[in-house]
C-alpha cells in the first residue's frame, strides 16, 4: 500500500510539474482533482516519418475497413492532413498508394455495427447464419472474440454455444444480429491463434 502511495505522489508530481496540469488536493473530498475541467492531456504532434507512416497506414486501411469505419477514418486522415506542415506531407504520393485486394464480400453496415459492438463490449450475440452446406440459415448464440480479414472477406472468430465449439463465421453470411445481456471474457489464446494466421 505504501508503494502505491509513492507511485501516486510521483504521478501527481509529473502531472503538475511536467504537464502543467491544474491538479490540487481537495480536503473535503480527501483526494486530488482537476481545478479546470477543460484541461486535456497534451498530444504529441506527429511530424516527419512518424506522420507519414500514420497517414500511409490510414490511406491503405481505407480500402479494407468496413463501411461504418471508413467515414471516421477518412475524417481522421483529413484532420491530420489539414494540421500537417506542408513540408512534411507529399499529398500526391499518398494518392499514388494503391491497395489492390481484388473483390471483397459486401457487408451490410447495420449488421456490421451490431457485430462490432458485440466484439468491442464483449457481449453475447444472437444471429442467423447461412452456411454453404445448410439449406436453411440456423439461429445461434455466439461470443465474438476476434474480427479478421482473410481472402477478401471479414470474419469473426467466435465461440458458438449451439455447436459448443470454436467457429470462424463470414460476416457477410450473418443476418439479424441481436446483442444479448450475457458477457464473456476474451480468450487471449484464441487471439494469438488468429494473429498467427490459424
Amino acid at each position: 500500500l505504501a508503494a502505491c502511495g509513492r507511485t501516486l505522489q510521483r504521478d501527481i508530481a509529473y502531472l503538475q510539474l511536467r504537464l502543467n496540469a491544474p491538479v490540487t488536493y481537495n480536503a473535503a473530498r480527501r483526494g486530488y482533482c482537476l481545478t479546470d475541467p477543460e484541461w486535456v492531456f497534451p498530444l504529441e504532434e506527429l511530424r516527419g516519418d512518424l506522420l507519414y507512416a500514420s497517414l500511409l497506414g490510414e490511406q491503405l486501411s481505407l480500402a479494407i475497413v468496413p463501411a461504418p469505419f471508413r467515414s471516421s477514418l477518412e475524417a481522421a486522415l483529413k484532420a491530420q492532413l489539414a494540421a500537417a506542415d506542408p513540408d512534411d506531407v507529399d499529398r500526391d504520393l499518398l494518392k499514388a498508394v494503391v491497395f489492390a485486394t481484388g473483390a471483397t464480400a459486401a457487408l451490410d453496415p447495420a449488421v456490421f455495427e451490431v457485430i462490432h459492438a458485440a466484439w468491442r463490449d464483449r457481449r453475447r450475440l444472437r444471429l442467423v447464419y447461412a452456411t454453404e452446406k445448410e439449406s436453411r440459415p440456423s439461429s445461434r448464440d455466439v461470443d465474438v472474440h476476434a474480427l479478421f480479414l482473410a481472402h477478401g472477406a471479414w470474419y469473426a472468430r467466435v465461440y458458438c454455444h449451439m455447436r459448443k465449439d470454436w467457429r470462424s463465421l463470414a460476416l457477410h453470411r450473418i443476418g439479424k444480429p441481436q446483442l444479448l445481456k450475457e458477457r464473456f471474457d476474451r480468450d487471449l489464446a484464441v487471439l494469438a491463434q488468429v494473429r498467427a494466421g490459424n
Side-chain angles (χ1 to χ4, degrees):
L1 208 54
C4 291
R6 287 194 297 274
T7 301
L8 179 60
Q9 288 175 346
R10 279 195 304 271
D11 290 345
I12 296 294
Y14 179 83
L15 285 167
Q16 291 171 327
L17 301 174
R18 289 295 201 74
L19 301 181
N20 295 318
V23 177
T24 58
Y25 184 76
N26 185 318
R29 293 184 173 181
R30 301 176 69 188
Y32 288 88
C33 63
L34 284 173
T35 57
D36 179 4
E38 301 295 317
W39 184 86
V40 294
F41 276 95
L43 296 176
E44 188 171 329
E45 186 179 336
L46 289 178
R47 298 185 54 82
D49 289 343
L50 286 177
L51 174 62
Y52 177 72
S54 175
L55 292 170
L56 182 63
E58 290 170 8
Q59 184 72 36
L60 287 169
S61 297
L62 284 173
I64 60 172
V65 296
F69 288 155
R70 201 167 297 128
S71 59
S72 297
L73 191 58
E74 285 172 339
L77 184 61
K78 286 177 183 173
Q80 279 188 301
L81 283 170
D85 184 330
D87 294 335
D88 280 343
V89 180
D90 183 344
R91 292 170 190 245
D92 291 333
L93 187 62
L94 286 175
K95 290 176 188 171
V97 174
V98 178
F99 192 88
T101 59
T104 56
L107 282 178
D108 180 336
V111 168
F112 180 80
E113 284 186 23
V114 179
I115 296 168
H116 175 254
W119 166 73
R120 181 192 60 216
D121 301 336
R122 293 177 292 145
R123 299 243 324 254
R124 187 159 298 162
L125 187 65
R126 178 163 292 152
L127 53 84
V128 173
Y129 191 70
T131 68
E132 292 177 1
K133 298 175 184 176
E134 295 173 337
S135 58
R136 292 188 335 182
S138 58
S139 178
R140 55 184 81 190
D141 292 355
V142 300
D143 299 334
V144 182
H145 287 256
L147 297 174
F148 63 95
L149 179 68
H151 310 294
W154 280 94
Y155 291 84
R157 187 64 177 163
V158 305
Y159 181 79
C160 177
H161 292 275
M162 180 180 82
R163 303 282 188 210
K164 304 276 190 253
D165 200 2
W166 293 96
R167 294 284 189 268
S168 292
L169 304 182
L171 269 53
H172 62 278
R173 295 181 180 274
I174 292 175
K176 301 179 182 176
Q178 296 176 296
L179 287 173
L180 302 178
K181 291 181 181 178
E182 292 86 356
R183 295 185 176 270
F184 65 93
D185 291 324
R186 224 178 292 285
D187 190 319
L188 299 181
V190 170
L191 299 183
Q193 289 171 356
V194 172
R195 283 193 195 98
N198 300 323

